[in-house]
Amino acid sequence: MSEATARFTLPFILPGQAQKELSHNEALVRIDAISHAASEGPPATDPPPAPDEGQCWVVADPATGAWSGHGKSLAVWTGGGWRFLDPQPGMLVWNKELGVWMHFDGAAWINGGLPATAFYVAGQQVVGQRQPPVPSPSGGTIIDQEARAAIGEITAALMSHGLIG
């Protein structure tokens, strides 16, 4: 039997273990940090000078000071000092400073972008896979400048939102 969980290395209470409360409390601190994780800002290389207990940061690479060697980890300040949690692919952390989600793709933290195959509103798909470019309105035998301008603006808006190429 291992001494910790596979994904977040939460310590197990082992049979016959003395001072079981230490393992249990360490696990609670880590669970508190990863449950609805929220970073004070975007990934940072330097630990803050005076963190409040419970505050978290995503550690950027290369980290310095007390964070050295913990790049890409989630760092939480506790009464006992820094605790570090290694991220798992797909992990989400709220960036409090920017008001956006960060996700870990298995190699790096992506700030503000979420991977998806579609977006749904009230159960209805509103955005799906990106479609090919719409040709620019030109040519034809009847020229209607106002209609072409409107179609051009629609096409530009769709392109600016990344919905078409």
Side-chain angles (χ1 to χ4, degrees), residues 72-144:
K72 301 178 186 171
S73 296
L74 183 64
V76 60
W77 179 253
T78 68
W82 289 108
R83 298 287 192 275
F84 300 96
L85 295 154
D86 292 330
Q88 299 298 312
M91 186 175 179
L92 291 175
V93 174
W94 183 250
N95 181 331
K96 290 180 180 181
E97 183 180 310
L98 300 178
V100 297
W101 287 104
M102 294 185 284
H103 78 276
F104 188 70
D105 69 2
W109 285 97
I110 310 301
N111 204 4
L114 295 175
T117 56
F119 293 105
Y120 294 81
V121 174
Q124 182 176 357
Q125 183 176 334
V126 293
V127 177
Q129 189 173 15
R130 188 173 185 177
Q131 299 300 307
V134 174
S136 225
S138 63
T141 57
I142 301 174
I143 299 174
D144 183 348

Coordinates of all heavy atoms in Angstrom, one line a residue, residues 72-144:
K72 N 5.5 25.3 -11.9 CA 4.2 24.8 -12.4 C 3.3 24.3 -11.2 O 2.2 24.0 -11.5 CB 4.4 23.7 -13.4 CG 5.2 24.1 -14.6 CD 5.4 22.9 -15.5 CE 6.3 23.3 -16.7 NZ 6.7 22.2 -17.5
S73 N 3.8 24.3 -10.0 CA 3.0 23.8 -8.9 C 2.0 24.9 -8.4 O 2.2 26.1 -8.7 CB 3.9 23.5 -7.7 OG 4.8 22.4 -8.0
L74 N 1.1 24.5 -7.6 CA 0.2 25.4 -6.9 C 0.8 25.5 -5.5 O 1.0 24.5 -4.8 CB -1.2 24.8 -6.9 CG -2.3 25.7 -6.2 CD1 -2.5 27.0 -7.0 CD2 -3.6 24.9 -6.1
A75 N 1.1 26.7 -5.1 CA 1.7 27.0 -3.8 C 0.6 27.6 -2.9 O 0.0 28.6 -3.3 CB 2.9 27.9 -4.0
V76 N 0.5 27.1 -1.7 CA -0.5 27.6 -0.8 C 0.3 27.9 0.5 O 1.1 27.2 1.0 CB -1.7 26.7 -0.5 CG1 -1.2 25.3 0.0 CG2 -2.7 27.3 0.4
W77 N 0.0 29.1 1.1 CA 0.7 29.5 2.3 C -0.2 29.0 3.5 O -1.4 29.2 3.5 CB 0.8 31.0 2.4 CG 1.5 31.5 3.7 CD1 0.9 32.1 4.7 CD2 2.8 31.3 4.0 NE1 1.8 32.3 5.7 CE2 3.0 31.9 5.3 CE3 4.0 30.8 3.4 CZ2 4.2 31.9 6.0 CZ3 5.2 30.8 4.1 CH2 5.3 31.3 5.3
T78 N 0.4 28.3 4.4 CA -0.2 27.8 5.6 C 0.5 28.2 6.8 O 1.6 28.8 6.8 CB -0.3 26.2 5.6 OG1 1.1 25.7 5.7 CG2 -0.8 25.7 4.3
G79 N -0.1 27.9 8.0 CA 0.5 28.2 9.3 C 1.9 27.6 9.4 O 2.8 28.0 10.1
G80 N 2.1 26.5 8.7 CA 3.4 25.7 8.7 C 4.3 26.1 7.6 O 5.3 25.4 7.4
G81 N 4.0 27.1 6.8 CA 4.8 27.4 5.6 C 4.2 27.1 4.3 O 3.0 26.9 4.2
W82 N 5.0 27.0 3.3 CA 4.5 26.7 1.9 C 4.2 25.3 1.8 O 5.0 24.4 2.2 CB 5.5 27.2 0.9 CG 5.6 28.7 0.7 CD1 6.7 29.4 1.2 CD2 4.7 29.5 0.2 NE1 6.4 30.7 0.9 CE2 5.2 30.9 0.3 CE3 3.4 29.4 -0.4 CZ2 4.5 32.0 -0.2 CZ3 2.8 30.5 -0.8 CH2 3.3 31.8 -0.7
R83 N 3.1 25.0 1.1 CA 2.7 23.6 0.7 C 2.6 23.7 -0.8 O 2.1 24.7 -1.4 CB 1.4 23.2 1.3 CG 1.3 23.1 2.8 CD 2.2 21.9 3.2 NE 1.9 21.6 4.6 CZ 2.5 22.2 5.7 NH1 3.4 23.1 5.4 NH2 2.3 21.8 6.9
F84 N 3.1 22.7 -1.5 CA 3.1 22.7 -3.0 C 2.3 21.5 -3.5 O 2.5 20.4 -3.0 CB 4.5 22.6 -3.5 CG 5.4 23.8 -3.1 CD1 6.2 23.7 -2.0 CD2 5.3 25.0 -3.8 CE1 6.9 24.8 -1.6 CE2 6.0 26.1 -3.4 CZ 6.8 26.0 -2.3
L85 N 1.5 21.7 -4.5 CA 0.7 20.7 -5.1 C 1.0 20.6 -6.6 O 1.0 21.6 -7.3 CB -0.8 20.9 -4.9 CG -1.3 20.9 -3.5 CD1 -2.5 21.7 -3.3 CD2 -1.5 19.4 -3.1
D86 N 1.4 19.4 -7.1 CA 1.7 19.3 -8.5 C 0.4 19.2 -9.3 O -0.5 18.5 -8.9 CB 2.6 18.0 -8.7 CG 4.0 18.1 -8.1 OD1 4.5 19.3 -8.1 OD2 4.5 17.1 -7.8
P87 N 0.3 20.0 -10.3 CA -0.9 20.0 -11.1 C -1.1 18.8 -11.9 O -0.1 18.1 -12.2 CB -0.7 21.2 -12.0 CG 0.7 21.3 -12.2 CD 1.4 20.9 -10.9
Q88 N -2.3 18.5 -12.2 CA -2.7 17.3 -13.1 C -3.3 17.9 -14.3 O -3.9 19.0 -14.3 CB -3.7 16.5 -12.3 CG -3.2 15.9 -11.1 CD -2.0 15.0 -11.3 OE1 -2.0 14.1 -12.1 NE2 -1.0 15.2 -10.5
P89 N -3.1 17.2 -15.5 CA -3.7 17.7 -16.7 C -5.2 17.9 -16.6 O -5.9 17.1 -16.0 CB -3.4 16.6 -17.7 CG -2.2 15.9 -17.2 CD -2.3 16.0 -15.7
G90 N -5.6 19.1 -17.0 CA -7.1 19.4 -16.9 C -7.4 20.2 -15.7 O -8.6 20.7 -15.5
M91 N -6.5 20.4 -14.8 CA -6.7 21.1 -13.5 C -7.1 22.6 -13.8 O -6.4 23.2 -14.6 CB -5.5 21.0 -12.6 CG -5.7 21.6 -11.2 SD -4.3 21.3 -10.2 CE -4.7 22.1 -8.7
L92 N -8.1 23.1 -13.2 CA -8.5 24.5 -13.3 C -8.2 25.3 -12.1 O -8.4 24.8 -11.0 CB -10.0 24.6 -13.6 CG -10.5 24.1 -15.0 CD1 -12.0 24.2 -15.0 CD2 -9.9 24.9 -16.1
V93 N -7.7 26.5 -12.2 CA -7.5 27.4 -11.1 C -8.0 28.8 -11.6 O -7.7 29.3 -12.7 CB -6.0 27.5 -10.8 CG1 -5.7 28.6 -9.8 CG2 -5.4 26.2 -10.4
W94 N -8.8 29.4 -10.7 CA -9.3 30.8 -11.0 C -8.2 31.8 -10.7 O -7.6 31.8 -9.7 CB -10.5 31.0 -10.1 CG -11.2 32.4 -10.3 CD1 -11.2 33.5 -9.5 CD2 -11.9 32.7 -11.5 NE1 -11.9 34.5 -10.1 CE2 -12.3 34.1 -11.3 CE3 -12.3 32.1 -12.7 CZ2 -13.1 34.7 -12.3 CZ3 -13.0 32.8 -13.6 CH2 -13.4 34.1 -13.4
N95 N -8.0 32.7 -11.7 CA -7.0 33.8 -11.5 C -7.8 35.0 -11.0 O -8.5 35.6 -11.7 CB -6.4 34.1 -12.9 CG -5.4 35.2 -12.9 OD1 -5.5 36.1 -12.0 ND2 -4.4 35.1 -13.8
K96 N -7.7 35.3 -9.7 CA -8.4 36.3 -9.1 C -8.1 37.7 -9.7 O -9.0 38.5 -9.8 CB -8.1 36.4 -7.6 CG -8.6 35.2 -6.8 CD -8.3 35.4 -5.3 CE -8.7 34.4 -4.4 NZ -8.3 34.6 -3.0
E97 N -6.9 38.0 -10.0 CA -6.5 39.3 -10.5 C -7.1 39.6 -11.8 O -7.6 40.7 -12.1 CB -4.9 39.3 -10.6 CG -4.4 40.7 -11.0 CD -2.9 40.6 -11.1 OE1 -2.2 40.2 -10.1 OE2 -2.3 41.0 -12.2
L98 N -7.1 38.6 -12.7 CA -7.6 38.8 -14.1 C -9.0 38.4 -14.3 O -9.7 38.8 -15.3 CB -6.7 38.1 -15.1 CG -5.2 38.5 -15.1 CD1 -4.5 37.7 -16.1 CD2 -5.1 40.0 -15.4
G99 N -9.6 37.6 -13.3 CA -11.0 37.2 -13.4 C -11.2 36.2 -14.6 O -12.2 36.2 -15.2
V100 N -10.2 35.3 -14.8 CA -10.3 34.3 -15.8 C -9.8 32.9 -15.2 O -9.1 32.9 -14.2 CB -9.4 34.6 -17.1 CG1 -10.0 35.9 -17.7 CG2 -8.0 34.8 -16.7
W101 N -10.1 31.9 -15.9 CA -9.6 30.5 -15.6 C -8.3 30.3 -16.1 O -8.0 30.8 -17.3 CB -10.6 29.5 -16.1 CG -11.9 29.4 -15.3 CD1 -13.1 29.8 -15.8 CD2 -12.1 28.8 -14.0 NE1 -14.0 29.6 -14.8 CE2 -13.4 29.0 -13.7 CE3 -11.2 28.2 -13.1 CZ2 -14.0 28.5 -12.5 CZ3 -11.8 27.8 -11.9 CH2 -13.1 27.9 -11.6
M102 N -7.4 29.6 -15.4 CA -6.2 29.0 -15.9 C -6.4 27.5 -15.9 O -6.9 27.0 -15.0 CB -5.0 29.4 -15.0 CG -4.7 30.9 -15.0 SD -3.2 31.2 -14.0 CE -3.8 31.0 -12.3
H103 N -5.9 26.9 -17.0 CA -5.9 25.4 -16.9 C -4.5 24.9 -17.2 O -3.7 25.5 -17.9 CB -7.0 24.8 -17.9 CG -6.6 24.8 -19.3 ND1 -6.7 25.9 -20.1 CD2 -6.0 23.9 -20.1 CE1 -6.2 25.6 -21.3 NE2 -5.8 24.4 -21.3
F104 N -4.3 23.7 -16.7 CA -3.0 23.0 -16.9 C -3.2 22.0 -18.0 O -4.0 21.1 -17.9 CB -2.5 22.4 -15.6 CG -1.1 21.8 -15.7 CD1 0.0 22.7 -15.8 CD2 -0.9 20.5 -15.7 CE1 1.3 22.2 -15.9 CE2 0.4 20.0 -15.8 CZ 1.5 20.8 -15.9
D105 N -2.4 22.1 -19.1 CA -2.6 21.2 -20.2 C -1.7 20.0 -20.2 O -1.6 19.2 -21.1 CB -2.4 22.0 -21.5 CG -1.0 22.4 -21.8 OD1 -0.1 22.1 -20.9 OD2 -0.7 23.1 -22.8
G106 N -1.0 19.8 -19.0 CA -0.1 18.7 -18.9 C 1.4 19.2 -19.0 O 2.3 18.5 -18.5
A107 N 1.6 20.3 -19.6 CA 3.0 20.9 -19.7 C 3.1 22.3 -19.2 O 4.1 22.7 -18.7 CB 3.4 20.8 -21.2
A108 N 2.0 23.1 -19.3 CA 2.1 24.5 -18.9 C 0.7 25.0 -18.5 O -0.3 24.3 -18.8 CB 2.6 25.3 -20.1
W109 N 0.7 26.1 -17.8 CA -0.6 26.7 -17.4 C -1.0 27.7 -18.5 O -0.2 28.5 -19.0 CB -0.4 27.5 -16.1 CG -0.3 26.7 -14.9 CD1 0.8 26.2 -14.3 CD2 -1.4 26.1 -14.2 NE1 0.5 25.4 -13.2 CE2 -0.9 25.3 -13.1 CE3 -2.8 26.2 -14.3 CZ2 -1.7 24.6 -12.2 CZ3 -3.6 25.5 -13.5 CH2 -3.1 24.7 -12.4
I110 N -2.2 27.6 -19.0 CA -2.8 28.4 -20.0 C -3.7 29.4 -19.3 O -4.7 29.0 -18.6 CB -3.6 27.6 -21.0 CG1 -2.8 26.4 -21.6 CG2 -4.1 28.5 -22.2 CD1 -1.5 26.8 -22.2
N111 N -3.4 30.7 -19.4 CA -4.1 31.8 -18.7 C -5.2 32.3 -19.6 O -4.9 33.0 -20.6 CB -3.1 32.8 -18.3 CG -3.5 33.7 -17.1 OD1 -4.6 33.4 -16.5 ND2 -2.8 34.6 -16.8
G112 N -6.4 32.1 -19.2 CA -7.6 32.7 -19.9 C -8.2 32.0 -21.0 O -9.2 32.4 -21.6
G113 N -7.6 30.9 -21.5 CA -8.2 30.1 -22.6 C -8.6 28.7 -22.1 O -7.9 28.1 -21.3
L114 N -9.7 28.3 -22.5 CA -10.2 27.0 -22.1 C -10.4 26.1 -23.4 O -11.1 26.6 -24.3 CB -11.5 27.0 -21.3 CG -11.4 27.7 -20.0 CD1 -12.8 27.8 -19.4 CD2 -10.5 27.0 -19.1
P115 N -9.9 24.9 -23.4 CA -10.1 24.1 -24.6 C -11.6 23.5 -24.6 O -12.1 23.3 -23.5 CB -9.1 22.9 -24.4 CG -8.9 22.9 -22.9 CD -9.1 24.3 -22.4
A116 N -12.1 23.5 -25.7 CA -13.5 23.0 -25.9 C -13.8 22.6 -27.3 O -13.1 23.0 -28.2 CB -14.5 24.1 -25.4
T117 N -14.7 21.7 -27.5 CA -15.1 21.4 -28.9 C -16.4 22.1 -29.3 O -16.7 22.2 -30.4 CB -15.4 19.9 -29.0 OG1 -16.4 19.5 -28.0 CG2 -14.1 19.1 -28.8
A118 N -17.1 22.7 -28.3 CA -18.3 23.4 -28.5 C -18.7 24.2 -27.3 O -18.2 23.9 -26.2 CB -19.5 22.5 -28.9
F119 N -19.5 25.2 -27.4 CA -20.1 26.0 -26.3 C -21.6 25.9 -26.3 O -22.2 26.0 -27.4 CB -19.6 27.5 -26.4 CG -18.2 27.7 -26.2 CD1 -17.4 28.0 -27.2 CD2 -17.6 27.5 -24.9 CE1 -16.0 28.1 -27.1 CE2 -16.2 27.7 -24.7 CZ -15.4 28.0 -25.8
Y120 N -22.2 25.7 -25.2 CA -23.6 25.6 -25.1 C -24.2 26.6 -24.2 O -23.6 27.0 -23.1 CB -23.9 24.2 -24.5 CG -23.6 23.0 -25.4 CD1 -22.3 22.6 -25.4 CD2 -24.5 22.4 -26.2 CE1 -21.9 21.6 -26.3 CE2 -24.2 21.4 -27.0 CZ -22.9 21.0 -27.1 OH -22.5 19.9 -27.9
V121 N -25.4 27.1 -24.5 CA -26.1 28.1 -23.7 C -27.5 27.5 -23.6 O -28.2 27.2 -24.6 CB -26.2 29.5 -24.3 CG1 -27.1 30.4 -23.5 CG2 -24.8 30.1 -24.4
A122 N -28.0 27.3 -22.3 CA -29.3 26.7 -22.0 C -29.5 25.4 -22.8 O -30.5 25.1 -23.3 CB -30.4 27.7 -22.3
G123 N -28.4 24.6 -22.9 CA -28.5 23.3 -23.5 C -28.5 23.3 -25.0 O -28.5 22.3 -25.7
Q124 N -28.3 24.5 -25.6 CA -28.3 24.6 -27.1 C -26.9 25.0 -27.5 O -26.3 26.0 -27.0 CB -29.3 25.6 -27.6 CG -29.3 25.7 -29.1 CD -30.4 26.7 -29.6 OE1 -31.2 27.2 -28.8 NE2 -30.4 26.9 -30.9
Q125 N -26.3 24.3 -28.5 CA -25.0 24.6 -29.0 C -25.0 25.9 -29.7 O -25.8 26.1 -30.6 CB -24.4 23.5 -29.9 CG -23.0 23.8 -30.4 CD -22.5 22.7 -31.2 OE1 -22.9 21.5 -31.1 NE2 -21.5 23.0 -32.1
V126 N -24.2 26.9 -29.3 CA -24.1 28.2 -29.9 C -22.8 28.4 -30.7 O -22.8 29.2 -31.6 CB -24.3 29.3 -28.9 CG1 -25.7 29.3 -28.4 CG2 -23.3 29.3 -27.8
V127 N -21.8 27.7 -30.4 CA -20.5 27.7 -31.1 C -20.0 26.3 -31.2 O -20.0 25.6 -30.2 CB -19.5 28.6 -30.4 CG1 -18.2 28.6 -31.1 CG2 -20.0 30.0 -30.2
G128 N -19.6 26.0 -32.4 CA -19.0 24.6 -32.6 C -17.6 24.8 -33.3 O -16.9 25.8 -33.1
Q129 N -17.3 23.8 -34.0 CA -16.0 23.8 -34.7 C -15.9 24.9 -35.7 O -16.9 25.3 -36.3 CB -15.9 22.4 -35.5 CG -14.5 22.2 -36.0 CD -14.3 20.8 -36.6 OE1 -15.3 20.1 -36.8 NE2 -13.1 20.4 -36.9
R130 N -14.7 25.5 -35.8 CA -14.5 26.6 -36.7 C -14.7 26.2 -38.1 O -14.3 25.2 -38.6 CB -13.0 27.1 -36.5 CG -12.8 28.4 -37.3 CD -11.4 28.9 -36.9 NE -11.2 30.2 -37.6 CZ -10.2 30.9 -37.4 NH1 -9.2 30.5 -36.7 NH2 -10.1 32.1 -38.0
Q131 N -15.4 27.1 -38.9 CA -15.8 26.8 -40.2 C -14.8 27.5 -41.2 O -14.1 28.4 -40.8 CB -17.3 27.3 -40.5 CG -18.3 26.7 -39.6 CD -18.3 25.2 -39.8 OE1 -18.5 24.7 -40.9 NE2 -18.2 24.4 -38.7
P132 N -14.9 27.1 -42.5 CA -14.0 27.7 -43.5 C -14.3 29.1 -43.7 O -15.4 29.6 -43.4 CB -14.2 26.8 -44.7 CG -15.5 26.2 -44.5 CD -15.7 26.0 -43.0
P133 N -13.4 29.9 -44.3 CA -13.7 31.3 -44.6 C -14.9 31.5 -45.5 O -15.2 30.7 -46.4 CB -12.4 31.8 -45.3 CG -11.4 30.7 -45.1 CD -12.1 29.4 -44.8
V134 N -15.5 32.6 -45.3 CA -16.6 33.1 -46.1 C -16.0 34.0 -47.2 O -15.3 34.9 -46.9 CB -17.7 33.8 -45.3 CG1 -18.8 34.4 -46.2 CG2 -18.3 32.9 -44.3
P135 N -16.3 33.7 -48.5 CA -15.7 34.6 -49.5 C -16.2 36.0 -49.4 O -17.4 36.3 -48.9 CB -16.2 34.0 -50.8 CG -17.3 33.0 -50.5 CD -17.2 32.7 -49.0
S136 N -15.4 37.0 -49.7 CA -15.7 38.4 -49.7 C -16.8 38.7 -50.7 O -16.7 38.2 -51.8 CB -14.5 39.2 -49.9 OG -14.3 40.3 -49.1
P137 N -17.8 39.5 -50.3 CA -18.8 39.9 -51.3 C -18.2 40.8 -52.5 O -17.7 41.9 -52.2 CB -19.8 40.7 -50.5 CG -19.1 41.2 -49.4 CD -18.0 40.2 -49.1
S138 N -18.2 40.2 -53.7 CA -17.7 41.0 -54.8 C -18.2 40.4 -56.1 O -18.7 39.3 -56.1 CB -16.1 41.0 -54.9 OG -15.7 39.7 -55.0
G139 N -18.1 41.1 -57.2 CA -18.6 40.6 -58.5 C -20.1 40.7 -58.6 O -20.7 41.4 -57.8
G140 N -20.6 40.0 -59.5 CA -22.1 40.0 -59.7 C -22.4 41.0 -60.8 O -21.6 41.9 -61.2
T141 N -23.7 40.9 -61.2 CA -24.1 41.8 -62.2 C -24.8 43.1 -61.6 O -24.9 44.1 -62.3 CB -25.1 41.1 -63.2 OG1 -26.2 40.6 -62.4 CG2 -24.4 40.0 -64.0
I142 N -25.3 42.9 -60.4 CA -26.0 44.1 -59.8 C -25.1 44.5 -58.6 O -24.8 43.7 -57.7 CB -27.4 43.8 -59.3 CG1 -28.2 43.3 -60.6 CG2 -28.0 44.9 -58.6 CD1 -29.6 42.8 -60.2
I143 N -24.7 45.7 -58.5 CA -23.9 46.2 -57.4 C -24.8 46.9 -56.4 O -25.5 47.9 -56.7 CB -22.8 47.1 -58.0 CG1 -21.9 46.4 -58.9 CG2 -22.0 47.7 -56.8 CD1 -20.9 47.3 -59.6
D144 N -24.7 46.4 -55.2 CA -25.4 47.1 -54.1 C -24.4 47.3 -53.0 O -24.2 46.5 -52.2 CB -26.6 46.2 -53.6 CG -27.4 46.8 -52.5 OD1 -27.0 47.9 -52.0 OD2 -28.5 46.3 -52.2

